[in-house]
Amino acid sequence: MKTSIGASYNHSGSATANINVMNFRLGGNYMPWKKHSFDLAFIQMFRNTDQAVENPNLNEMTCTVGYNYSF
């Protein structure tokens, strides 16, 4: 089994707007047999901005599950 974890932060600023984005990532891979692989990925994103947009504070979560077979 393999696992991975990561985080990132990005700030963008100008005279008219400031945007902050933070991401957290978690992933895993399991190979129970030689040609079979199961994958799981989880991503959480937080975005804050002072712009006049519909959702200035956005939180988004993505989860992906996968299966691979090599032949």
Side-chain angles (χ1 to χ4, degrees):
M1 178 165 195
K2 294 181 184 180
T3 59
S4 64
I5 189 168
S8 65
Y9 175 77
N10 185 5
H11 171 78
S12 177
S14 70
T16 59
N18 287 305
I19 302 170
N20 297 304
V21 179
M22 180 170 277
N23 290 308
F24 296 103
R25 297 175 301 280
L26 179 64
N29 175 277
Y30 177 62
M31 293 183 68
W33 306 286
K34 188 174 183 177
K35 295 185 176 189
H36 302 266
S37 173
F38 295 92
D39 304 299
L40 176 65
F42 171 79
I43 302 169
Q44 178 70 49
M45 182 202 60
F46 303 98
R47 184 195 73 192
N48 299 314
T49 181
D50 58 1
Q51 288 180 309
V53 294
E54 184 176 337
N55 295 317
N57 298 317
L58 178 69
N59 297 329
E60 183 177 288
M61 180 178 62
T62 304
C63 184
T64 306
V65 177
Y67 167 77
N68 294 299
Y69 175 75
S70 300
F71 53 92

